[in-house]
Amino acid sequence: MSRVLTILGTRPEIIKLSPLIPLLETQFEHILVHSGQHYSYEVDAIFFEELSLPAPRYTLGVGSAQHGEQTARILSRLEPILLQERPDLVLVQGDTNTTMAGALCAAKLGFPVAHLEAGGRSFNRTMPEELNRIIVDHIAEILLAADEIAAYNLRAEGLPESRIHVIGSTAIDAALHHRERAAQRPILNQLELKPGSYLVLTLHRAENTEPAVLPGIIQALNELAATHRIVFPIHPRTAAALERQQLQLSPRILALRPLGYLDTLCLVQSAQAVLTDSGGLQEEAAVLGTPILLVRNETEWRYLVDAGVAVLIGNRYESILDGAARWLSPAGLDRLRSARSPIISGAAGRAVAIMAASV
Ligand code: UD1
């Protein structure tokens, strides 16, 4: 039986790999490695529980650190495992430091790499994620692109057609699979929220938590909170930045600890709209038919903007308030709600079939 080693380490990797892992477990001898980049229960273990995933065979325990240190720890701790396990294929997902270090370690040892979510580009090279994606795509043998735009980006960088496969998005598979279970969650009652009466906000990107940017975002959100109920599950990076920069959230913003996957889907499903800089949350909101306002200047999920279900409102004080005034108006929301995005399921099955054919 062929051996596939999957390395993951953060919340979005766990969620987006969750539809694949059960298939990998049945079709291959599957070795799951967790880098430990995310380690708190609420951004890590809760997802293994909710998504019924097997415990990793190896945990590297790298924790938080500067990019270089975090990457180096993953490289040095993964190398002996790869040399011992000698997989036929190494699978990585997305754009995190775990993704990049996992792919680099494998490729340097001569183990072929498959990259799930290949070809996503923001064209903003100041984002750590953008550098990670470019590096991984150029050293991977199998490029599993979510859509034609991603495949186009890979071709434009000179990557050979034979490596590129358009398979759809596993974030969509996961959301479709879990949405009914999520709808049963009691979180709306617990938070005393009425369906359609609130916005869900998430922020975590490095560029949005910098001292030059975060104060403007928070000022805009505090003003928006005068007229809108905002529910804000706060990522650990953002919580730390708010404290460090001594920024106060309006008491009208409902600030929460990070939520599990099912509670997040449940809240998004009944929200008026989401305001976010997250990639996965955009796709989940699209599956659930909830309008998406992106607190960013660019997006790797261009297909959602092209389809008209998501709009970029920028990350500056004025642009956020202008975007909110335009898109949270009844006419703006109607326009976003009446647009349809292509929701293509089955990405996980296609990915595993392509991997099986390669080993
Ligand atoms: C990482 C990814 C990003 C992904 C995001 C999802 C990189 C470069 N970025 O960003 O692409 O969208 O995960 O969450 O890999 N922390 C905790 N508990 C944890 C994990 C982190 O408190 O379990 C805190 C630490 O103080 C740390 C900070 O969060 O310094 C940021 O964590 P880090 O691993 O650097 O990346 P994320 O911002 O989560």
Side-chain angles (χ1 to χ4, degrees), residues 10 13 37 67-68 70-72 74 92-104 113 115-122 124-140 143 154 157 205-206 237 300:
T10 68
E13 292 164 85
Q37 178 173 346
H67 288 274
Q70 195 175 54
T71 304
I74 300 170
V92 296
Q93 190 285 331
D95 57 18
T96 70
N97 290 341
T98 296
T99 315
M100 192 272 282
L104 185 60
V113 173
H115 184 206
L116 183 66
E117 203 177 273
R121 294 289 181 272
S122 64
N124 175 357
R125 288 213 182 193
T126 66
M127 290 176 67
E129 291 89 349
E130 184 77 350
L131 297 179
N132 289 341
R133 290 182 197 114
I134 294 170
I135 292 166
V136 177
D137 285 337
H138 285 256
I139 57 178
L143 299 169
L154 295 167
E157 290 176 16
R205 298 254 169 221
R237 168 201 282 284
E300 303 79 356

